[in-house]
Amino acid sequence: MSALVSLCSVPSYVQNKQFYSTNNLSKIATVVPQMSLSSSTTSNHHKSKCLLPVDAPLKAILFDIDGTLCDSDPIHYYAFREMLQEIGFNGGAPISEEFFIKNISGMHNDELCHVLFPDWDFERAIKFMDDKEGMFRRIASEQLKPLNGLEEVCKWIEDHGLKRAAVTNAPRPNAELIISMLGLSDFFELLIIGSECERAKPFPDPYLKALQELGVSPKHTFVFEDSISGIKAGVAAGMPVVGLGLRNPEKLLSEAGATFVIKDFNNSKLWTALEELETEIHT
């Protein structure tokens, strides 16, 4: 979700409790840190004639949501940084982008309760998480935009009659808000929430559930993911994963098992892979 750079400091007026009022949400565009972009170069660790080792015909494509459909991670980082600093986490020092990547990115909230607050009771910790998600939704409702090329990829999927599902560790209200804001409510046939499965990502359960409900084999499906935990989940479910390296370092995504890494959906390597699969979709 992010490459490693120093971030601009937050203006002092955000300390004002009124900053988060509805009238002031538009100011967030000048406040949310401009997290850096990782390299758009790609790598392929699979020895296959095709860039994406999917058995013909391709039948389904699965998407993560945060950091994959849209660049939401700077908002998550900002919300965590502000709220953790307010309660004196890390001695009152703001968390770094590196800390966010290593300890927060891609994880579900139940797990984060134990990671961030090992000495808190669960009810107190989950209340913090719920409040953080509320802040995220207030900001996201004003700021989220689809990742470059998403509309074209979705049209390609629809034109070829492929099945599709969104599979996420995000809370359901967040996932539904993002999907609605991006105009994808009618595009996705299925929404799978990690916390509603027996185990969330990085375990394969959410992706296995999506495959089961769509009635497709992992051999005929691939995944778009941006986080280390999500890539591990997709690979564990038996599918090749295209990594979205908009924020997370490409090296980490490749090490997690991504077949190759792209910056956004306009990437030429992705479209070359889709063209390779296209001739066999209806065979």
Side-chain angles (χ1 to χ4, degrees), residues 148-187:
N148 291 338
L150 177 63
E151 182 178 353
E152 290 76 13
V153 165
C154 290
K155 184 178 187 303
W156 187 90
I157 292 170
E158 289 180 320
D159 289 347
H160 290 85
L162 302 178
K163 296 183 178 181
R164 55 269 190 183
V167 183
T168 181
N169 271 355
R172 181 169 288 275
N174 289 22
E176 292 177 345
L177 171 68
I178 293 173
I179 288 173
S180 175
M181 286 187 63
L182 298 180
L184 297 175
S185 297
D186 294 330
F187 172 77

Side-chain angles (χ1 to χ4, degrees), residues 85-197:
Q85 186 174 14
E86 186 174 320
I87 64 170
F89 185 87
N90 192 34
I95 62 169
S96 66
E97 187 179 351
E98 292 91 335
F99 181 90
F100 177 80
I101 294 170
K102 183 177 180 180
N103 298 286
I104 296 176
S105 172
M107 297 176 67
H108 63 99
N109 283 349
D110 286 4
E111 186 178 9
L112 280 173
C113 287
H114 301 294
V115 171
L116 296 176
F117 310 115
D119 299 327
W120 287 19
D121 62 74
F122 183 76
E123 290 74 17
R124 181 187 178 193
I126 203 65
K127 174 64 165 57
F128 175 93
M129 293 299 171
D130 290 344
D131 291 344
K132 175 265 164 184
E133 300 301 352
M135 178 188 286
F136 168 83
R137 288 191 291 272
R138 290 194 299 274
I139 301 171
S141 64
E142 297 286 336
Q143 296 298 319
L144 282 184
K145 296 179 180 179
L147 208 62
N148 291 338
L150 177 63
E151 182 178 353
E152 290 76 13
V153 165
C154 290
K155 184 178 187 303
W156 187 90
I157 292 170
E158 289 180 320
D159 289 347
H160 290 85
L162 302 178
K163 296 183 178 181
R164 55 269 190 183
V167 183
T168 181
N169 271 355
R172 181 169 288 275
N174 289 22
E176 292 177 345
L177 171 68
I178 293 173
I179 288 173
S180 175
M181 286 187 63
L182 298 180
L184 297 175
S185 297
D186 294 330
F187 172 77
F188 286 114
E189 303 170 57
L190 186 64
L191 171 60
I192 301 295
I193 304 296
S195 62
E196 297 174 5
C197 301

Side-chain angles (χ1 to χ4, degrees), residues 15-272:
Q15 304 301 328
N16 185 333
K17 298 298 183 181
Q18 297 303 314
F19 176 75
Y20 300 111
S21 66
T22 302
N23 292 335
N24 288 323
L25 277 174
S26 61
K27 296 180 182 178
I28 198 69
T30 64
V31 178
V32 175
Q34 297 300 307
M35 298 168 74
S36 63
L37 303 183
S38 62
S39 168
S40 61
T41 58
T42 57
S43 59
N44 181 15
H45 298 292
H46 292 268
K47 294 181 179 180
S48 171
K49 291 182 180 180
C50 294
L51 289 171
L52 277 171
V54 178
D55 287 356
L58 176 65
K59 294 184 178 180
I61 300 178
L62 309 181
F63 291 79
D64 176 50
I65 295 180
D66 276 305
T68 299
L69 300 179
C70 57
D71 188 16
S72 55
D73 295 337
I75 304 176
H76 282 293
Y77 170 69
Y78 174 79
F80 269 113
R81 188 177 73 172
E82 291 300 298
M83 291 188 62
L84 287 171
Q85 186 174 14
E86 186 174 320
I87 64 170
F89 185 87
N90 192 34
I95 62 169
S96 66
E97 187 179 351
E98 292 91 335
F99 181 90
F100 177 80
I101 294 170
K102 183 177 180 180
N103 298 286
I104 296 176
S105 172
M107 297 176 67
H108 63 99
N109 283 349
D110 286 4
E111 186 178 9
L112 280 173
C113 287
H114 301 294
V115 171
L116 296 176
F117 310 115
D119 299 327
W120 287 19
D121 62 74
F122 183 76
E123 290 74 17
R124 181 187 178 193
I126 203 65
K127 174 64 165 57
F128 175 93
M129 293 299 171
D130 290 344
D131 291 344
K132 175 265 164 184
E133 300 301 352
M135 178 188 286
F136 168 83
R137 288 191 291 272
R138 290 194 299 274
I139 301 171
S141 64
E142 297 286 336
Q143 296 298 319
L144 282 184
K145 296 179 180 179
L147 208 62
N148 291 338
L150 177 63
E151 182 178 353
E152 290 76 13
V153 165
C154 290
K155 184 178 187 303
W156 187 90
I157 292 170
E158 289 180 320
D159 289 347
H160 290 85
L162 302 178
K163 296 183 178 181
R164 55 269 190 183
V167 183
T168 181
N169 271 355
R172 181 169 288 275
N174 289 22
E176 292 177 345
L177 171 68
I178 293 173
I179 288 173
S180 175
M181 286 187 63
L182 298 180
L184 297 175
S185 297
D186 294 330
F187 172 77
F188 286 114
E189 303 170 57
L190 186 64
L191 171 60
I192 301 295
I193 304 296
S195 62
E196 297 174 5
C197 301
E198 184 173 345
R199 300 176 300 179
K201 304 173 190 177
F203 294 100
D205 303 39
Y207 279 117
L208 292 174
K209 183 176 181 180
L211 292 169
Q212 181 181 22
E213 295 197 16
L214 289 176
V216 294
S217 164
K219 295 181 179 180
H220 301 281
T221 308
F222 75 88
V223 176
F224 287 114
E225 264 284 0
D226 79 300
S227 71
I228 295 168
S229 65
I231 290 173
K232 289 181 177 179
V235 171
M239 294 174 286
V241 180
V242 176
L244 270 297
L246 182 66
R247 299 297 177 187
N248 273 332
E250 179 182 335
K251 181 176 184 291
L252 296 182
L253 301 184
S254 297
E255 289 174 351
T259 303
F260 60 86
V261 180
I262 61 178
K263 177 180 173 181
D264 58 34
F265 295 105
N266 285 330
N267 184 275
S268 60
K269 189 167 189 176
L270 170 64
W271 286 97
T272 298

